[in-house]
Amino acid sequence: MGGVFGALRDAGPDYWGRRVIERHAGKPQLGELDYLLHSPDDRAGALGFGLNQVPPAPLRAFNRTIQLAKLQAIADAIIADEVPQTGVEAAQVEELLLVGTSVGGARPKAVVEDDDGLWIAKFNRKDDRWNMARIEHAMLMLARACGLSTAESRLDNIGDRDVLLVKRFDRERAGGGYHRARMISGLTLLRTDDAPGNRGRWSYVLLVEELRRASARPDADAQELFRRMCFNALISNADDHPRNHAMIAKHTGWRLSPAYDLTPTSPVSQDHRDLALLIGDQGRFANAQNLLSQCSRFMLTREAAEAIIMEMTRKVRDRWYEIARSTGVTETDCALIAGAFAYPGFQTQSGN
């Protein structure tokens, strides 16, 4: 991993944060320490970075926390072609709102603050096939309806654009500041990275083994991970890579974090779909029998696992449309994502 421990890598900026920092850092080439020093001090987890043993405020000229009200005001000025407030915050908002149409990479986002605390604001892209902000909010609501623990979320409108706000679960407001929770990604828990040659460890089976070792409540967290794996299979969420799983420690014990980044895809095949992580004996095949094949690793009997799959299949099939429409997802977008839910191949007996 280039000499960087996973727990430090988890505190660094993601793709979008790196893109913002690279554009404004004024350096021809950046190393991992540069990203850590230029990123804001509200990064994921509890770590802070500086150049002294008593860490000063990081440089963080860009990719910084913005007050939600200020974000909305600057966005409105940009949309109206008025002269926006000058400074680094205005430049950051403009970058978020005027994102290009290139394919690939993570979604544009920023950390914003309001009276309730810190939120991750996730912006739609011009090249999105559907309204991602509304659909991801709907999937978080659907997951809660299926009994999963998820991050709190809400929809807002910034500069006449829908934005998904996801509450930071690694921060709790306290007096004039915030308590930080320690946090590590599933990638770190699996002791691997994003390189294609190292994806052999991208596995729910390996992840639950590490989770049981590290968790203060191994049985409960293992069973919760099984439910998330099942839910991802039922909504065709092929973006369930290890960075989209995490553990947090608000006090002394580590626990599986609330679920986040739950998004459906609409693949062509009606018979076979894969997740990003290995599920069971049939590899990454998002299939009920494959989910059952290693259910004992998740501290579940086969009967209990079958009951979870049956109940979750019913809820996803019966409620996805109702919940999507209640969050303002259009009929057109519902038609585009309809094929993602409880697809026919999920219940087949084999991968053939």
Side-chain angles (χ1 to χ4, degrees):
M1 296 187 292
V4 179
F5 285 109
L8 301 183
R9 174 196 55 199
D10 289 339
D14 61 8
Y15 173 88
W16 179 257
R18 286 174 182 246
R19 175 176 165 178
V20 173
I21 291 168
E22 286 163 1
R23 286 192 58 175
H24 301 287
K27 291 187 176 183
Q29 186 173 1
L30 295 177
E32 290 300 319
L33 292 181
D34 293 311
Y35 289 120
L36 292 174
L37 290 171
H38 280 84
S39 60
D41 203 35
D42 56 20
R43 58 177 58 83
L47 298 178
F49 298 87
L51 298 176
N52 300 291
Q53 288 182 317
V54 179
L59 300 180
R60 59 175 173 182
F62 293 90
N63 194 35
R64 66 196 303 175
T65 298
I66 306 176
Q67 290 285 338
L68 182 58
K70 185 176 289 188
L71 173 60
Q72 290 172 319
I74 298 172
D76 290 341
I78 292 171
I79 296 299
D81 289 327
E82 299 172 358
V83 178
Q85 176 180 337
T86 59
V88 294
E89 288 180 334
Q92 182 176 331
V93 174
E94 185 171 16
E95 180 133 9
L96 290 167
L97 293 179
L98 304 182
V99 61
T101 58
S102 61
V103 178
R107 308 197 63 75
K109 60 175 72 73
V111 177
V112 299
E113 185 175 22
D114 66 7
D115 292 340
D116 294 328
L118 295 177
W119 303 75
I120 297 173
K122 303 178 74 172
F123 294 75
N124 284 327
R125 291 168 54 112
K126 293 180 180 179
D127 58 339
D128 286 336
R129 289 187 61 199
W130 46 66
N131 190 321
M132 287 293 297
R134 290 191 176 274
I135 288 175
E136 185 173 343
H137 180 55
M139 292 304 99
L140 288 166
M141 292 181 63
L142 179 61
R144 290 194 285 273
C146 291
L148 274 65
S149 170
T150 74
E152 180 184 346
S153 63
R154 77 173 199 250
L155 290 167
D156 212 324
N157 194 267
I158 298 174
D160 294 325
R161 298 177 64 178
D162 287 330
V163 177
L164 174 67
L165 297 177
V166 181
K167 189 76 173 287
R168 291 278 300 268
F169 49 71
D170 61 336
R171 293 289 187 276
E172 288 186 1
R173 189 184 286 280
Y178 293 90
H179 286 306
R180 305 183 185 194
R182 291 169 288 158
M183 180 173 171
I184 57 172
S185 70
L187 204 63
T188 291
L189 201 61
L190 288 168
R191 298 186 297 282
T192 188
D193 58 29
D194 292 313
N198 294 328
R199 294 186 181 182
R201 289 189 60 81
W202 284 27
S203 164
Y204 280 108
V205 176
L206 294 177
L207 184 61
V208 76
E209 295 288 346
E210 297 296 338
L211 182 64
R212 286 166 51 194
R213 175 183 61 81
S215 172
R217 295 189 60 194
D219 289 14
D221 281 349
Q223 292 168 18
E224 171 74 9
L225 184 63
F226 181 86
R227 290 181 174 88
R228 294 185 194 178
M229 178 173 66
C230 181
F231 184 79
N232 285 331
L234 283 165
I235 70 167
S236 302
N237 177 19
D239 194 37
D240 62 323
H241 55 78
R243 286 187 187 271
N244 282 342
H245 302 274
M247 293 191 76
I248 61 171
K250 292 186 176 181
H251 303 290
T252 56
W254 287 88
R255 296 295 309 277
L256 182 66
S257 77
Y260 55 96
D261 281 3
L262 302 176
T263 54
T265 56
S266 188
V268 175
S269 174
Q270 294 298 303
D271 300 319
H272 189 115
R273 295 177 188 176
D274 289 334
L275 298 185
L277 277 70
L278 183 145
I279 295 170
D281 294 350
Q282 297 177 57
R284 298 183 295 117
F285 184 21
N287 162 273
Q289 294 301 315
N290 199 23
L291 289 168
L292 291 169
S293 66
Q294 293 290 328
C295 64
S296 62
R297 304 282 192 104
F298 297 83
M299 310 305 290
L300 290 165
T301 65
R302 187 176 181 89
E303 292 75 17
E306 286 175 342
I308 290 171
I309 292 171
M310 186 180 303
E311 177 69 7
M312 197 173 293
T313 301
R314 181 185 65 79
K315 287 185 176 179
V316 168
R317 182 183 292 125
D318 294 348
R319 299 205 58 193
W320 77 265
Y321 177 80
E322 162 210 338
I323 290 174
R325 292 293 286 141
S326 73
T327 62
V329 179
T330 65
E331 287 283 1
T332 299
D333 282 354
C334 282
L336 288 172
I337 64 173
F341 304 102
Y343 79 105
F346 179 80
Q347 294 292 351
T348 59
Q349 296 300 310
S350 70
N352 297 324

